[in-house]
Amino acid sequence: MLSLYVPATGWLHRMPAGPKLAMLAVVAVAVAALPSTWVTALVLLVPVVLYAGSGMGVGRGLGVLAEATWGLRWVIVVTAAGQLLFLGREPAVANTSRVVAALLIAGLVPVSTPVSALLDALERGLSPLARFGVDPGRAALLLTLTITTIPVLARLASEVRDAQRARGLRPSLLRGALPLLVSALRHADDLGEGLAARGIR
């Protein structure tokens, strides 16, 4: 698994994983619930304040925010284009701003929380579901694997694009889809073998 964790000693990194998950979830839901007006675009200031003030250092925090925003570029394009086409400029700006702000706020969880702490917090949070037959350990592992696999896929996509450039080809979604699929399946096989070797089935 590839972690997005950025080592630091600020208040957000020191906060226990459970309360941090709850706090960021409340902020993200509040951001997503704002009305669709031009003023709603100001909600993008929320992740700027959170990343800059998270205790990583202002410059480092804004650098991490810039990387996260770049990673969302296609989400921004697709969301804005669809909203602009069907709803108009004001809803497009407002809705895209809310979606991007909520995703960036949620992105602070893996940035400020080690995978092991995230796994423990999820397992504790899911423990009440054990009475309904849900295995909290397996469910927490599944959620953690999902979160931590996203950057792996992003890295594989970047490697595919680099390989295309090295061969003198212009990076293309059509040409890169098959190599990316093969790489992703190979990673899934390796991950499955690793889990099986540790007795997790």
Side-chain angles (χ1 to χ4, degrees):
M1 289 187 291
L2 179 64
S3 173
L4 291 174
Y5 181 66
V6 177
T9 57
W11 65 273
L12 193 62
H13 285 69
R14 295 195 305 272
M15 182 182 286
K20 183 174 11 186
L21 283 169
M23 181 194 75
L24 293 177
V26 168
V27 175
V29 170
V31 164
L34 291 174
S36 296
T37 66
W38 289 112
V39 179
T40 303
L42 294 176
V43 78
L44 291 172
L45 293 176
V46 175
V48 174
V49 171
L50 285 175
Y51 277 77
S54 64
M56 291 185 283
V58 175
R60 191 180 185 192
L62 293 178
V64 174
L65 174 62
E67 290 179 9
T69 306
W70 177 249
L72 293 175
R73 61 191 183 281
W74 292 115
V75 174
I76 297 171
V77 170
V78 172
T79 303
Q83 300 279 326
L84 188 61
L85 183 62
F86 294 106
L87 299 177
R89 287 184 298 172
E90 185 172 3
V93 171
N95 294 335
T96 304
S97 298
R98 289 186 302 186
V99 170
V100 172
L103 290 174
L104 291 174
I105 292 168
L108 273 170
V109 174
V111 164
S112 62
T113 313
V115 173
S116 57
L118 184 60
L119 183 60
D120 291 341
L122 288 171
E123 187 171 351
R124 285 196 300 274
L126 294 171
S127 59
L129 298 178
R131 69 185 65 178
F132 301 108
V134 176
D135 185 338
R138 288 178 181 275
L141 179 61
L142 176 62
L143 288 172
T144 306
L145 283 175
T146 302
I147 294 171
T148 54
T149 299
I150 292 172
V152 174
L153 295 178
R155 186 198 65 192
L156 293 175
S158 177
E159 290 176 354
V160 169
R161 289 194 297 271
D162 290 343
Q164 289 177 330
R165 293 191 186 97
R167 290 174 173 80
L169 301 173
R170 184 177 179 182
S172 152
L173 179 63
L174 186 61
R175 281 193 294 264
L178 184 58
L180 178 59
L181 177 62
V182 172
S183 299
L185 291 175
R186 189 176 300 160
H187 170 73
D189 284 341
D190 293 342
L191 185 59
E193 291 176 2
L195 292 174
R198 289 164 175 77
I200 302 172
R201 295 182 180 278

